[in-house]
Amino acid sequence: MSLSVLLSGATGTIGRQISERLRHDDRFVLAGTASSEGFFEPDVTADVIIDFSHPSLLRPVLDFACRRQLPLVVGTTGLDDELQAQLSQAAGTIAICQAANFSLGVNLMIRMVGELAGKLDDDFDIEILEMHHRRKLDAPSGTALALGESIAQSRALGVEDSAIFDRSRDRIPRARGKVGYQSIRGGDVAGEHTVYFLGPGERIELCHRATDRDIFARGALLAARHLVGRGPGSVDFLDLVLGP
């Protein structure tokens, strides 16, 4: 039986990739779409919602999902604290899988950098470099921030207190216990993230390069398949598709 999907953000970069996959994969059927110009008709029925839209559209999508008791896959980034709190509250009612990036490789990298950061002492400074296409609006990327959060948690650092986004104003040496972020925008880069562990006399680099945005569409649909039938709660993408 095909899985019926409501797609929010269908006109966006990843939304178009998901729409294309839905048209050519008989395991799914597209029940309806929502974009910045409109929202789902109330009589639409579906098994799951996938949202790659904008925070302003995610709010009504979340309300709709809770009213209809539909599981929700969230790939929208740039959420404020209030909207993130609403997602957490909604997880008491519906199943939610939220990720900054739905690539299996990136999510494995997020785990790996956390483990490595926990094993290396603070003689190793950590920097995160991310590169994306010229049209991407947010910087650093949601994936870069997720990498930094994993590192901060492993080192018992405050996520916001440890983050350094700009060194142009402060002419001071690099402090220990900080995580630096660098962003590059240009061309049609699908996504590249490198984490540097810079120690005395040596360095470690972990890098993930996305060469095709279809990996994000595949991951989102994989999450949707696994999310249907689960009880309420928020579940990590890797835990969902690979097990804890």
Side-chain angles (χ1 to χ4, degrees):
M1 180 179 294
S2 297
L3 202 67
S4 181
V5 177
L6 283 174
L7 177 59
S8 173
T11 59
T13 302
I14 305 303
R16 291 195 298 270
Q17 293 285 145
I18 295 174
S19 295
E20 185 67 17
R21 277 207 153 262
L22 288 171
R23 283 194 291 269
H24 297 93
D25 192 331
D26 58 11
R27 294 174 298 177
F28 303 95
V29 60
L30 182 61
T33 63
S35 67
S36 58
E37 291 79 27
F39 188 56
F40 309 124
E41 294 296 328
D43 59 347
V44 169
T45 58
D47 299 309
V48 63
I49 301 176
I50 299 177
D51 183 278
F52 277 79
S53 61
H54 184 274
S56 62
L57 182 57
L58 178 56
R59 295 177 191 275
V61 168
L62 182 59
D63 291 340
F64 182 87
C66 290
R67 289 198 306 271
R68 295 293 184 91
Q69 293 289 286
L70 292 175
L72 176 62
V73 175
V74 179
T76 298
T77 58
L79 312 188
D80 59 25
D81 292 341
E82 180 183 356
L83 184 51
Q84 190 60 58
Q86 290 174 4
L87 271 174
S88 299
Q89 183 177 4
T93 303
I94 59 174
I96 296 177
C97 178
Q98 179 187 11
N101 190 307
F102 278 89
S103 155
L104 278 174
V106 160
N107 282 274
L108 286 168
M109 181 179 176
I110 290 171
R111 283 194 181 178
M112 290 168 64
V113 297
E115 293 175 2
L116 190 52
K119 294 182 182 300
L120 298 173
D121 61 30
D122 61 6
D123 280 341
F124 281 81
D125 300 317
I126 303 176
E127 295 283 318
I128 300 171
L129 172 67
E130 58 96 354
M131 183 188 308
H132 284 86
H133 53 87
R134 63 167 61 95
R135 298 179 306 281
K136 187 170 180 60
L137 301 180
D138 55 324
S141 67
T143 299
L145 293 173
L147 289 162
E149 182 177 359
S150 178
I151 291 164
Q153 289 176 349
S154 293
R155 290 196 164 186
L157 302 172
V159 176
E160 294 184 4
D161 292 341
S162 62
I164 300 294
F165 300 111
D166 181 12
R167 294 193 175 96
S168 64
R169 298 180 181 179
D170 299 322
R171 295 178 61 83
I172 57 176
R174 190 193 200 284
R176 293 175 182 265
K178 299 295 183 181
V179 179
Y181 295 81
Q182 311 293 329
S183 297
I184 297 174
R185 296 289 176 269
D188 61 353
V189 180
E192 181 172 323
H193 296 84
T194 305
V195 179
Y196 299 89
F197 295 85
L198 304 155
E202 59 181 332
R203 74 173 182 261
I204 302 168
E205 300 177 14
L206 294 181
C207 181
H208 179 274
R209 294 183 178 93
T211 57
D212 188 341
R213 293 185 185 89
D214 191 51
I215 63 173
F216 310 124
R218 290 201 306 268
L221 290 172
L222 181 62
R225 286 172 50 205
H226 284 270
L227 200 60
V228 170
R230 289 183 65 97
S234 180
V235 58
D236 176 80
F237 175 58
L238 280 187
D239 290 344
L240 178 64
V241 302
L242 298 181

